Amino acid sequence: PLLLPQNAFAHLRRQAAALDALRPRLNACCRHHSPLPCARRAWTDVLDGFCTDEFGVKTRQFHCCRRHGAA
């Protein structure tokens, strides 16, 4: 668990949660018959979830969440 104060640093907790969600999905992709497309799908799914969380709070969103599509 992150050792951050409970009353601040929520943006870092959201980033860490996204990376924690990505790790098991990438591990599963290593055993997949086509690992690169699997890893790309895992990354985009986790990033989409992260950006949904980012836009759900009244703080400045992470810069990558303002991009769309392949960007």
Side-chain angles (χ1 to χ4, degrees), residues 19 21-32 35-36 38-40 42-43:
L19 291 175
L22 181 61
R23 187 174 295 119
R25 294 196 59 188
L26 287 180
N27 287 339
C29 288
C30 290
R31 296 182 298 277
H32 200 268
L36 291 179
C38 176
R40 182 182 178 108
W43 171 248

Side-chain angles (χ1 to χ4, degrees), residues 36-65:
L36 291 179
C38 176
R40 182 182 178 108
R41 192 170 38 256
W43 171 248
T44 56
D45 289 349
V46 169
L47 189 58
D48 286 346
F50 169 75
C51 289
T52 298
D53 291 345
E54 282 285 282
F55 283 111
V57 295
K58 293 181 180 181
T59 58
R60 197 165 146 209
Q61 288 79 31
F62 198 70
H63 64 86
C64 69
C65 292

